[in-house]
Amino acid sequence: MLKVLNVVGARPNFMKVAPIVAAMKRRPSDFLPLIVHTGQHYDAAMSDAFFTDLNLPPPDIHLGVGSGSHAVQTAAVMERFEPVVLNEKPDWVLVVGDVNSTIACALVCVKLGVKVAHVEAGLRSRDRTMPEEINRLLTDQIADLLFTPSHDADENLLAEGIPRERIRFVGNVMIDSLQKNLNVARALPTREQLGLAGTDYALLTLHRPSNVDMRDSFDRILDALEAISTRLPIVFPVHPRTKKTIAELGLSDRVESIKELRIVDPLGYLDFLNLSSSARLVLTDSGGIQEETTALGIPCITLRENTERPITVEMGTNVVVGTDTQKIITAATAALNGSAKTALRQPPLWDGHTSERILDALEEFAAAQ
Ligand code: UD1
């Protein structure tokens, strides 16, 4: 029996951990899963809603860390996580993704000699100004077992000197959640409630500091949105960071003046999937949404200069356009005229069974030690 501490911290972690914990609960004689929530995200809309939507059991341990600078947040997670690991003595700690909670918990484990597995390992944007890139690089250097979603990730890890025997290509665990929940999400009245039934619409998310913390990039994106919104409404569930910076940068009037930019509160997992699965196009700076739109076959315009998920461009529906106003408008026009890329095929092992492969590898690796 393997006791596993599954760490969640921020919104993009929940849909990765939920299928893994569910798979562990289906194998109770092999796995004892506990959920540790660092509290990096704490608003009901950024956290609780995802536990409900994804049937994720409530956290066994909540560290209540909250917001802060990178150093403050990372240090607080480390300080509060260390006694939990000492007390629980897990066989494995499982961290996912690339948020501050991921590196903080991995670092605690390696110093204590507790085995740590990283799900979604090996992704690289090669942009070290992104906090997530630093979190990815460092977590992968210290984790014992690295679960990759695509072969480019294996290659990145090998090039960084990670021994092949620590790398397992298992596919994309987010797609386990997507496949399990798609029909339920589609049946919800989300579009009707937002007045979008039977209407073409675009869906927008924005929260990267490089886009929303600076006036120039935010202005360029807003210029593009203004133009696109003359063709169809754009639904914009606003991340708390973005809400704050819109006010701080004095952009509230500008945002409100774009009539068909429809601002809504952050959405839960199922409501968002309801909207993304029927959108004409999605504009985003999120990593996970690039993957979900590829799985759904929905055109995705990525408002960043790079992506750590190149497979979504090679095989999927994603185009990476940056924040140049004209490039965004051109990509949106292509999607609306039906000349956007379509998904060639699903990336290998994005098949809904990644969590089972992760469990098998955890057992196999532990048995071999
Ligand atoms: C974090 C992750 C990012 C991920 C994103 C998804 C890091 C470095 N960044 O960015 O990789 O894509 O989550 O959402 O780990 N806030 C609230 N309520 C909350 C959480 C945050 O109001 O529940 C506000 C606070 O003002 C906070 C700000 O949002 O200071 C930023 O939160 P933080 O967790 O530091 O970074 P995100 O931008 O959410």
Side-chain angles (χ1 to χ4, degrees):
M1 156 90 75
L2 295 176
K3 183 176 190 181
V4 185
L5 294 188
N6 297 278
V7 175
V8 290
R11 181 168 67 173
N13 294 160
F14 305 121
M15 64 293 282
K16 295 167 193 165
V17 166
I20 297 172
V21 169
M24 288 181 182
K25 288 195 179 281
R26 288 196 298 272
R27 287 161 67 169
S29 50
D30 300 334
F31 289 95
L32 174 62
L34 294 179
I35 299 173
V36 181
H37 193 331
T38 66
Q40 177 173 345
H41 283 176
Y42 43 83
D43 284 351
M46 300 295 285
S47 178
D48 301 4
F50 289 78
F51 280 81
T52 312
D53 280 3
L54 294 157
N55 273 321
L56 187 59
D60 298 282
I61 297 146
H62 203 301
L63 305 181
V65 164
S67 299
S69 70
H70 286 273
V72 165
Q73 191 173 60
T74 308
V77 173
M78 289 184 70
E79 260 184 45
R80 294 183 197 191
F81 188 57
E82 185 178 54
V84 172
V85 178
L86 289 170
N87 190 37
E88 295 293 342
K89 301 183 180 50
D91 297 294
W92 280 106
V93 171
L94 189 134
V95 297
V96 300
D98 55 17
V99 301
N100 286 342
S101 301
T102 310
I103 176 61
C105 293
L107 192 47
V108 166
C109 293
V110 70
K111 295 283 181 87
L112 294 176
V114 171
K115 283 203 290 292
V116 59
H118 183 208
V119 175
E120 204 185 84
L123 299 182
R124 297 288 181 269
S125 65
R126 312 199 193 286
D127 174 1
R128 291 198 181 192
T129 64
M130 280 181 83
E132 294 82 3
E133 183 75 353
I134 304 301
N135 294 342
R136 292 181 201 114
L137 277 161
L138 298 182
T139 304
D140 288 342
Q141 278 298 323
I142 58 179
D144 297 275
L145 195 46
L146 299 160
F147 291 118
T148 58
S150 47
H151 282 304
D152 55 283
D154 296 19
E155 281 158 27
N156 291 333
L157 294 172
L158 291 169
E160 287 166 17
I162 309 273
R164 189 177 285 279
E165 56 273 18
R166 277 170 45 199
I167 305 169
R168 294 283 193 289
F169 169 52
V170 292
N172 190 334
V173 78
M174 283 190 68
I175 307 306
D176 290 18
S177 278
L178 186 142
Q179 289 193 359
K180 178 164 183 280
N181 290 291
L182 185 56
N183 287 339
V184 178
R186 280 198 165 130
L188 290 176
T190 319
R191 291 191 298 282
E192 288 74 4
Q193 285 164 352
L194 293 171
L196 297 166
T199 316
D200 281 348
Y201 60 91
L203 181 61
L204 166 73
T205 80
L206 273 182
H207 74 283
R208 292 278 159 219
S210 59
N211 282 341
V212 304
D213 289 6
M214 278 171 301
R215 176 95 205 202
D216 280 1
S217 49
F218 212 156
D219 266 337
R220 288 195 297 275
I221 293 170
L222 286 173
D223 288 343
L225 296 174
E226 189 158 22
I228 297 164
S229 72
T230 61
R231 303 265 315 256
L232 80 179
I234 303 172
V235 185
F236 183 18
V238 181
H239 187 284
R241 169 190 282 281
T242 312
K243 186 174 179 185
K244 207 163 91 180
T245 60
I246 288 173
E248 282 169 5
L249 296 173
L251 285 169
S252 304
D253 289 348
R254 172 89 210 278
V255 168
E256 277 162 32
S257 74
I258 305 177
K259 198 166 140 276
E260 284 302 337
L261 183 61
R262 301 194 190 167
I263 306 250
V264 298
D265 287 333
L267 296 167
Y269 181 77
L270 294 172
D271 282 327
F272 190 84
L273 186 53
N274 176 292
L275 291 189
S276 60
S277 63
S278 293
R280 279 295 300 277
L281 73 146
V282 172
L283 301 122
T284 191
D285 58 10
S286 148
I289 294 169
Q290 296 170 47
E291 300 180 332
E292 288 170 341
T293 45
T294 278
L296 293 165
I298 301 289
C300 179
I301 298 172
T302 293
L303 307 175
R304 284 173 44 191
E305 302 300 335
N306 49 56
T307 180
E308 62 288 334
R309 291 159 161 94
I311 199 162
T312 61
V313 177
E314 285 153 25
M315 288 193 189
T317 53
N318 190 20
V319 288
V320 178
V321 301
T323 59
D324 178 83
T325 304
Q326 198 48 52
K327 283 188 186 156
I328 301 170
I329 295 171
T330 303
T333 306
L336 294 175
N337 294 348
S339 54
K341 267 150 57 69
T342 48
L344 298 176
R345 61 189 161 95
Q346 287 300 301
L349 301 191
W350 290 27
D351 61 357
H353 297 291
T354 293
S355 38
E356 289 298 339
R357 288 188 283 270
I358 289 173
L359 268 54
D360 291 344
L362 288 173
E363 282 193 315
E364 184 202 313
F365 195 88
Q369 294 294 295

